[in-house]
Amino acid sequence: MSKHISFKNPCHVHFIGIGGISMSGLAEILLDRGFTVTGSDRSETELTTHLTELGAHIFYPQAAENIDKANEISKIDVVVYTAAIHPDNPEFVRTNDLGLKIIRRAELLGSIMDEYPLAIAVAGTHGKTTTTSMISEIFLAKDGNLEKTENGYVFSDKNKDKVPTVTVGGILPAINSNVLVGSSETFIAEACEYQNSFLEFYPEYALVLNVEEDHLDFFKDINDIRNSFHTYCSHVREDGAVIISDKIPEYKALTEGINRKVITFGISAEGNGPDDADSTAKDISVNEKGCYSFTPIYKGEELPHVTLHVPGRHNILNALAAIAVCKEAGVSNESIIRGLSDFSGTHRRFEYRGTFNGATVIDDYAHHPTEMAATISAAKNVKHNKLIVVFQPHTYTRLRAFLQQFADVLSEADTVVLAPVYAAREKDVYGVHSTDIRNILVKKGCDAYAFDSFSEIEEFLSKKVADGDLLITMGAGDVVTVANDITKQ
């Protein structure tokens, strides 16, 4: 197990890029545990301001002298960085020059996870944020310990020992944050496979929602990805369990030889009856908002009927995975159903943003063909005239790997508008652009357009979108800007 820090011996941790959604969450956990926390980022944000109010010392922008300034507060014991930090980063260079201990964000997260007797890690190509949030909502509802209001759960010092610690890759409305610091023995976190980050984790319960090709700038192929997931499953603690979808091709190979309890979840291919999985569902129906209702079944036991308040059939599977881990952790049926019923989604997951020209505007984080197909499928169950999708590809390598699949999925929409690629950590050296998707769609006879800027897209939408339409801005970059602009948020 990772032992870079210990809650019993709080030390000084410096974060290079402390304002990231994951880094800020880890910093907040350490602050609560009495650690000295310093860090840096490009500019001040709401997240960094919040950390400063909690006692962190943050420097802007990133510079070599920040390491020296932090050392003046007290000697730095550990420096943490993310994949977005390159070896030529001035703070990274200064850290190495001084011979300070430096670790990746995932190594710190693994160390924090080791401190909790009940650690739950949620992995998979898709659905991590939603499923992590569902599990968190269930634990918040556990045995009626916490009171939920219109503004989320009410916390106080007297019930903090019943509150789980949560770190999630999005804003969960129930806690109005990406992190929740509790004092119970429960820790709930996403486990990302990129750069094998999740191999730093040794949880009590390891969830595997799905395994598909992605992050091909790091992994060689699907077999390389599957090998990493097998190793992740092998890291489960001796008395723990792997919770895995039985719809993953040859899923048994991912748990072969690990000598741990394996629990499956799934629904029948027809979608109207139970599967042979341990966690399954029957009596499945969908309402006019695209949200599903079903009767959960866990190891032959029927749980009370539940109606989800997040659209899409794929969310039944996310819920069944959440049910499995919570049942194994001893959570009551009542708390499970209450938590799932209360869950209203996370930011940027089929999130309602407002109206524009009489159309409903939804924003969604989907950036992989499978995720996009699930979002578009959910949209088709929502009453509308035309479905208009504004899509921003995320990274050139992903666009190159899934060019045809992107076009095939987007062709299900009535109109497709392509924004420029969100490069993230990459440079434009791959010879592929959003216009390549448009060209394939046009050849298919689809109504498709590509623009060079969000302002051009917004001008186009002002003329294209009509009353009764459903407009979705889609992608993992900053395409949400379009939804915000046109709905004046």
Side-chain angles (χ1 to χ4, degrees):
M1 291 188 179
S2 307
K3 280 296 177 185
H4 299 291
I5 58 101
S6 169
F7 284 177
K8 294 179 181 179
N9 299 295
C11 60
H12 180 175
V13 180
H14 181 84
F15 291 79
I16 305 177
I18 196 170
I21 196 160
S22 177
M23 292 278 271
S24 63
L26 299 183
E28 184 167 342
I29 293 171
L30 295 187
L31 284 165
D32 183 75
R33 294 289 178 159
F35 284 70
T36 299
V37 172
T38 58
S40 64
D41 219 305
R42 289 175 294 182
S43 59
E44 187 173 5
T45 65
E46 288 185 10
L47 290 176
T48 60
T49 299
H50 175 63
L51 290 175
T52 299
E53 292 170 349
L54 293 176
H57 300 271
I58 303 178
F59 310 103
Y60 311 98
Q62 291 173 4
E65 55 264 30
N66 293 340
I67 299 297
D68 300 317
K69 292 176 182 177
N71 256 329
E72 290 174 3
I73 295 171
S74 68
K75 184 181 180 299
I76 296 174
D77 296 289
V78 182
V79 175
V80 186
Y81 72 101
T82 69
I85 302 300
H86 299 290
D88 60 353
N89 178 281
E91 292 188 32
F92 189 96
V93 172
R94 182 60 175 160
T95 296
N96 285 321
D97 287 345
L98 293 176
L100 298 174
K101 182 177 183 179
I102 186 166
I103 63 174
R104 295 184 301 147
R105 178 200 64 84
E107 293 176 272
L108 176 61
L109 178 53
S111 289
I112 291 174
M113 187 176 290
D114 292 344
E115 299 288 320
Y116 290 84
L118 179 53
I120 299 168
V122 182
T125 313
H126 330 290
K128 291 186 291 292
T129 296
T130 296
T131 307
T132 303
S133 299
M134 284 180 171
I135 295 169
S136 301
E137 190 99 32
I138 290 170
F139 271 88
L140 288 168
K142 185 173 179 290
D143 303 323
N145 287 330
L146 302 178
E147 178 187 351
K148 188 170 185 182
T149 69
E150 292 182 357
N151 298 317
Y153 283 90
V154 175
F155 305 103
S156 65
D157 290 338
K158 68 178 182 179
N159 62 23
K160 193 174 181 181
D161 63 334
K162 301 173 183 177
V163 176
T165 296
V166 176
T167 174
V168 64
I171 302 299
L172 177 58
I175 59 177
N176 195 32
S177 178
N178 63 302
V179 63
L180 173 62
V181 181
S183 297
S184 75
E185 295 186 336
T186 303
F187 182 73
I188 307 166
E190 292 187 32
C192 181
E193 75 275 18
Y194 183 57
Q195 294 191 338
N196 281 331
S197 293
F198 64 173
L199 300 190
E200 301 291 341
F201 309 155
Y202 292 82
E204 182 77 5
Y205 297 109
L207 277 69
V208 181
L209 303 175
N210 34 64
V211 180
E212 296 185 29
E213 283 187 323
D214 199 9
H215 301 302
L216 295 177
D217 58 327
F218 175 77
F219 293 108
K220 296 176 183 176
D221 51 31
I222 186 62
N223 291 326
D224 191 20
I225 296 170
R226 288 175 63 89
N227 286 337
S228 286
F229 271 90
H230 181 274
T231 303
Y232 161 74
C233 292
S234 73
H235 285 187
V236 170
R237 299 171 190 172
E238 286 189 11
D239 58 346
V242 175
I243 292 92
I244 188 168
S245 168
D246 70 353
K247 296 299 178 287
I248 297 172
E250 299 180 15
Y251 77 91
K252 292 182 180 180
L254 298 178
T255 60
E256 185 176 7
I258 68 169
N259 195 29
R260 296 291 186 273
K261 182 191 292 187
V262 176
I263 297 163
T264 58
F265 65 92
I267 51 178
S268 67
E270 296 78 19
N272 56 7
D275 190 76
D276 291 331
D278 296 306
S279 183
T280 186
K282 69 174 186 178
D283 306 328
I284 298 170
S285 61
V286 61
N287 63 23
E288 69 281 357
K289 294 182 178 179
C291 298
Y292 282 78
S293 299
F294 59 96
T295 300
I297 305 171
Y298 190 72
K299 294 184 176 180
E301 175 195 3
E302 286 191 18
L303 277 66
H305 200 74
V306 63
T307 296
L308 299 178
H309 292 96
V310 284
R313 187 173 182 269
H314 59 287
N315 278 316
I316 302 177
L317 292 171
N318 292 336
L320 293 177
I323 289 169
V325 70
C326 292
K327 287 288 289 183
E328 289 298 310
V331 181
S332 68
N333 291 348
E334 180 184 3
S335 296
I336 290 172
I337 299 305
R338 183 189 305 122
L340 289 176
S341 298
D342 284 348
F343 178 64
S344 58
T346 55
H347 289 197
R348 300 220 62 212
R349 271 68 178 181
F350 214 90
E351 182 184 13
Y352 173 77
R353 304 298 296 184
T355 60
F356 175 65
N357 286 3
T360 298
V361 179
I362 299 292
D363 180 61
D364 196 276
Y365 190 73
H367 56 285
H368 182 283
T370 301
E371 298 166 348
M372 295 162 61
T375 298
I376 290 175
S377 175
K380 291 195 171 184
N381 284 315
V382 178
K383 185 178 180 181
H384 63 273
N385 293 329
K386 290 185 177 181
L387 174 60
I388 301 169
V389 175
V390 178
F391 176 59
Q392 179 188 43
H394 186 268
T395 72
Y396 295 100
T397 50
R398 186 176 282 114
L399 176 55
R400 182 177 62 178
F402 300 120
L403 178 61
Q404 185 63 52
Q405 292 97 315
F406 281 141
D408 290 343
V409 170
L410 289 168
S411 67
E412 294 296 314
D414 295 299
T415 296
V416 177
V417 181
L418 283 309
V421 175
Y422 186 85
R425 55 192 171 267
E426 296 179 345
K427 295 182 179 180
D428 183 5
V429 295
Y430 296 93
V432 64
H433 299 90
S434 299
T435 51
D436 295 316
I437 302 178
R438 176 196 174 273
N439 293 340
I440 296 174
L441 288 171
V442 169
K443 287 181 181 178
K444 285 173 168 281
C446 300
D447 187 35
Y449 309 85
F451 296 96
D452 294 327
S453 68
F454 289 161
S455 60
E456 292 175 278
I457 290 174
E458 291 165 16
E459 176 64 24
F460 173 79
L461 293 176
S462 68
K463 301 172 183 175
K464 187 74 172 180
V465 175
D467 186 36
D469 289 345
L470 179 60
L471 170 64
I472 302 178
T473 54
M474 185 184 295
D478 55 358
V479 70
V480 64
T481 301
V482 174
N484 290 341
D485 286 348
I486 62 179
T487 59
K488 300 296 187 292
Q489 292 196 30

